[in-house]
Amino acid sequence: MAERNGSRNGNKAVKGSFKVKAGLAQMLKGGVIMDVVTPEHARIAQEAGACAVMALERVPADIRKEGGVARMSDPTLIRSIMESVTIPVMAKCRIGHFVEAQILEALGIDYIDESEVLTPADEENHIDKHPFKVPFVCGCRDLGEALRRISEGAAMIRTKGEAGTGNVVEAVRHARAVNAGIRRLHGLNHAELVREAKQIGAPVDVLAECQRLGRLPVVNFAAGGIATPADAALMMQLGVDGVFVGSGIFKSEDPLKRAKAIVAATTYFDKPEVLAEVSAGLGKAMPGLEIPTIPKDELLAARGW
Amino acid sequence: MIGVLAMQGAFAEHVRALEAIGASTRLVKTRQDLAGLDGLVLPGGESTTMTMLMERVGLLESVRAAIANGLPTLATCAGMIVLAREVTDGMAGQQGMGLLDIAVRRNGYGRQVDSFEAELEVAGLDGKKFPGVFIRSPLVESTGSAEVVATHEGRAVAVRQGHILALCFHPELTSDRRLHQEFVRMAKAS
C-alpha cells in the first residue's frame, strides 16, 4: 500500500502510506473523540482527556434542528480549533465531496470524516480515499458497508448510529451487525466466502482479510447517539475500539464533568464500580429523541450505501 | 510478567507483539496491576489523555515510583513524552515525569500528513534495518545522559537510559519483534 499511496522524499522516508494512516487510528484506541464548535470547546475537550476533537460549525443535534444543506465547516473555524489544542483534530466533509476533502487536507487536518451528518454531495459514489495523504474515517451500518469503505481507502471505521439524537439504540444495532457479519465468516471456505461477499456487497479480498483476522482490518469506533458514560462503556463492551461523542457533551448541563466521566468510562468500561462512581451527579444529559418520531427522510444513517 | 499501561492508545498491539514472542502480559489500569511486574510498557496514544487519566485514578505517582525504582520500561511515542525531562509544544502546563534525560517537542515532525515510515539502523540489532513507523511523533531535541540507539536525519529516535528504552516510532505496528525481544531480555536481566 505504501507504494500506492505514499510519497517518497530524498531520505527514503515515506509519507501518507496506509500504515501511517491506519496507525493514527490505532493511537486513538481506547479514547473518546469529541465534537467541538469553538476553540474554547476544544480546550475543554482536551482538558477532559479527549484523544482527538472533531471541528465543526454545528453539532449534529443543531444540524438536525435547523435543517438545510450541511457542508464542510469554514476553514477559519477549523484553523482556530487546530491552533487551540495539541491533540489530533478531525473535520467532516460531505459524502462524495472530494474537493472539500482536498481543502481539509490542504489545511493539514489530521483525519477526515466523510460523514452522513453532512448533506451528501454524491448519491452514487463515495470519495476515492487512496490518493489522499490524510486518513479518512467513514460510517457503517453493517459489515458490507464497512468493507466497501475500507476498499475505497478508509483507514478507520465507525458505526453510523443516529447522530444528534442522544439515543444509543442505532449505534448498538450497527455494532452488533458488524460483529454478527464477522462471526458469520467463521469456517467458510473460499467458495462460500465469495458467495458471502456477493450477498453483503463487500470486496472478496477485504472480506478474506476480515475472516483471517476475526475482526475488521482497521480500527472501529462507535458513533451516533452516545450521551452517557454508560453508553460509552456499553459500546466498548460490544467490542468497539473507542467512541465518538457528538452532541452528547456540549448539549449537556455540565460539559467538562460529563466529558471527563465519558473518558473514564471508556478506559474502565469493564469496571462497573468505576462506572457507578463517574456516572453520579453529572447533571442533565442532552434531551434525547426516539427514533420512530423522526421522519424517514431525516434519518442520517440512511445516507451513504 | 510484562505490564502494559492501558489508559488509552495502542496497548493491545503491544500485548500482541509481546505474546507473539512468548512473554506473559497484564494490562495496567490500577495501582494493584503494578504488583510483581518484571517490566512495563508505556504505549503510543495521546500523552495528555494518558497522563490525566493516570492522575485522576492515582496511578501517576505509583508508575513514576516504580520506574524510578528500576522497573524496566519500554516507552513508545506518547510513552516517551510521558517520561521526558522536558516537553515543549505540549498542552499548557504539560510536564513529563522527568525520568528520562531528554527534551522532546510534541508533534515535532508535524501533523498527521507528515507522519512517515523510514528504515532505521538500530545499534545492537543484528542484520537488516528496522522498519520505523512514525505517527505524529515527538522530536527529540536534546539528549543528556541518555544513550542514542538510533537516529533519523541526524536526530535521535531511540534512546536508552539504564533500564529505560524509549522510541519515537512504533515497533508494535510492524511484524518485526526484535525491539520487543530486546526489551524482554532487559526485563529478565534486571
Side-chain angles (χ1 to χ4, degrees):
Chain A
M1 284 287 215
E3 290 303 317
R4 180 170 173 195
N5 299 319
S7 61
R8 278 178 184 278
N9 68 21
N11 288 304
K12 285 189 182 167
V14 184
K15 289 186 183 180
S17 63
F18 194 77
K19 179 78 123 185
V20 300
K21 294 202 282 191
L24 178 57
Q26 288 173 282
M27 297 307 135
L28 299 173
K29 283 168 68 172
V32 182
I33 300 169
M34 301 181 192
D35 276 6
V36 297
V37 299
T38 65
E40 180 55 23
H41 278 184
R43 281 189 289 269
I44 291 172
Q46 178 170 266
E47 191 190 329
C51 66
V53 291
M54 177 76 71
L56 67 179
E57 279 169 350
R58 295 179 288 173
V59 294
D62 289 333
I63 292 176
R64 189 176 281 289
K65 213 180 298 166
E66 291 163 22
V69 174
R71 311 179 179 92
M72 176 189 80
S73 299
D74 186 328
T76 310
L77 173 80
I78 294 172
R79 271 206 197 97
S80 68
I81 289 172
M82 287 167 68
E83 283 160 11
S84 66
V85 291
T86 62
I87 54 180
V89 179
M90 302 183 164
K92 291 181 193 292
C93 73
R94 285 179 263 176
I95 289 174
H97 205 315
F98 50 86
V99 173
E100 284 187 349
Q102 290 163 3
I103 292 169
L104 292 174
E105 182 172 58
L107 289 172
I109 204 82
D110 295 302
Y111 239 94
I112 296 175
D113 184 4
E114 186 184 14
S115 177
E116 70 282 1
V117 167
L118 305 184
T119 309
D122 188 326
E123 296 190 332
E124 314 224 315
N125 307 287
H126 281 250
I127 297 172
D128 174 11
K129 294 164 270 287
H130 288 295
F132 287 83
K133 274 202 289 182
V134 59
F136 283 75
V137 55
C138 290
C140 76
R141 285 162 296 182
D142 53 33
L143 182 63
E145 194 172 15
L147 299 185
R148 288 193 289 281
R149 298 294 86 78
I150 292 167
S151 79
E152 292 158 1
M156 178 177 181
I157 290 293
R158 56 172 175 76
T159 61
K160 285 183 168 172
E162 189 57 32
T165 60
N167 188 342
V168 79
V169 66
E170 294 301 306
V172 168
R173 189 191 318 282
H174 301 159
R176 283 196 183 275
V178 171
N179 290 346
I182 293 169
R183 269 197 308 271
R184 243 191 336 261
L185 305 179
H186 186 74
L188 298 191
N189 65 28
H190 189 70
E192 291 159 346
L193 200 70
V194 172
R195 178 179 181 274
E196 182 70 7
K198 181 186 167 200
Q199 296 270 326
I200 67 171
V204 179
D205 56 339
V206 195
L207 193 66
E209 194 184 355
C210 218
Q211 184 190 40
R212 186 175 61 78
L213 297 170
R215 54 158 296 148
L216 286 180
V218 300
V219 165
N220 180 28
F221 270 45
I226 293 155
T228 67
D231 289 347
L234 172 68
M235 298 312 299
M236 292 297 288
Q237 289 199 27
L238 285 172
V240 300
D241 297 313
V243 298
F244 283 87
V245 186
S247 319
I249 288 170
F250 290 100
K251 286 285 168 193
S252 74
E253 192 177 335
D254 188 342
L256 178 61
K257 196 168 180 193
R258 182 166 295 266
K260 282 185 173 176
I262 293 177
V263 168
T266 303
T267 295
Y268 295 97
F269 66 90
D270 53 353
K271 301 226 179 325
E273 63 284 3
V274 177
L275 300 177
E277 195 185 312
V278 302
S279 299
L282 296 181
K284 277 205 187 81
M286 70 177 283
L289 271 180
E290 289 262 32
I291 306 299
T293 66
I294 306 170
K296 274 231 155 54
D297 58 350
E298 289 179 20
L299 287 172
L300 302 176
R303 297 165 162 182
W305 33 93
Chain B
M1 179 70 72
I2 306 287
V4 182
L5 184 71
M7 297 288 102
Q8 185 272 324
F11 48 85
E13 286 77 356
H14 276 291
V15 167
R16 216 170 298 144
L18 288 163
E19 294 193 339
I21 55 170
S24 330
T25 61
R26 179 197 298 156
L27 293 181
V28 174
K29 290 192 179 188
T30 66
R31 270 176 293 193
Q32 293 73 34
D33 296 331
L34 286 169
L37 292 181
D38 304 306
L40 179 65
V41 176
L42 305 181
E46 282 306 310
S47 57
T48 48
T49 306
M50 283 181 213
T51 307
M52 280 184 279
L53 272 167
M54 280 195 284
E55 250 173 359
R56 245 178 263 163
V57 299
L59 189 57
L60 191 66
E61 264 318 304
S62 313
V63 168
R64 186 209 302 269
I67 300 171
N69 287 333
L71 181 65
T73 302
L74 170 65
T76 54
C77 198
M80 177 190 247
I81 299 170
V82 169
L83 291 180
R85 166 175 48 82
E86 194 183 323
V87 181
T88 46
D89 282 357
M91 181 183 147
Q94 188 179 358
Q95 280 186 322
M97 285 183 177
L99 294 171
L100 180 60
D101 193 10
I102 59 170
V104 295
R105 180 174 296 277
R106 261 191 90 184
N107 307 327
Y109 287 92
R111 303 193 71 98
Q112 173 61 16
V113 287
D114 298 307
S115 290
F116 63 97
E117 293 182 67
E119 300 275 295
L120 306 170
E121 290 276 5
V122 180
L125 291 190
D126 292 338
K128 58 181 178 17
K129 290 185 173 184
F130 198 90
V133 180
F134 294 78
I135 295 170
R136 284 171 50 98
S137 167
L139 180 72
V140 178
E141 297 200 305
S142 68
T143 53
S145 53
E147 168 201 353
V148 177
V149 179
T151 62
H152 174 68
E153 297 182 342
R155 299 281 194 168
V157 293
V159 298
R160 169 128 188 220
Q161 183 183 308
H163 62 288
I164 299 173
L165 177 61
L167 316 170
C168 292
F169 52 96
H170 295 282
E172 76 282 8
L173 299 188
T174 72
S175 54
D176 195 321
R177 302 282 170 246
R178 287 177 293 165
L179 282 167
H180 283 94
Q181 274 160 346
E182 176 57 26
F183 173 63
V184 170
R185 263 195 298 275
M186 278 168 63
K188 277 189 185 146
S190 74

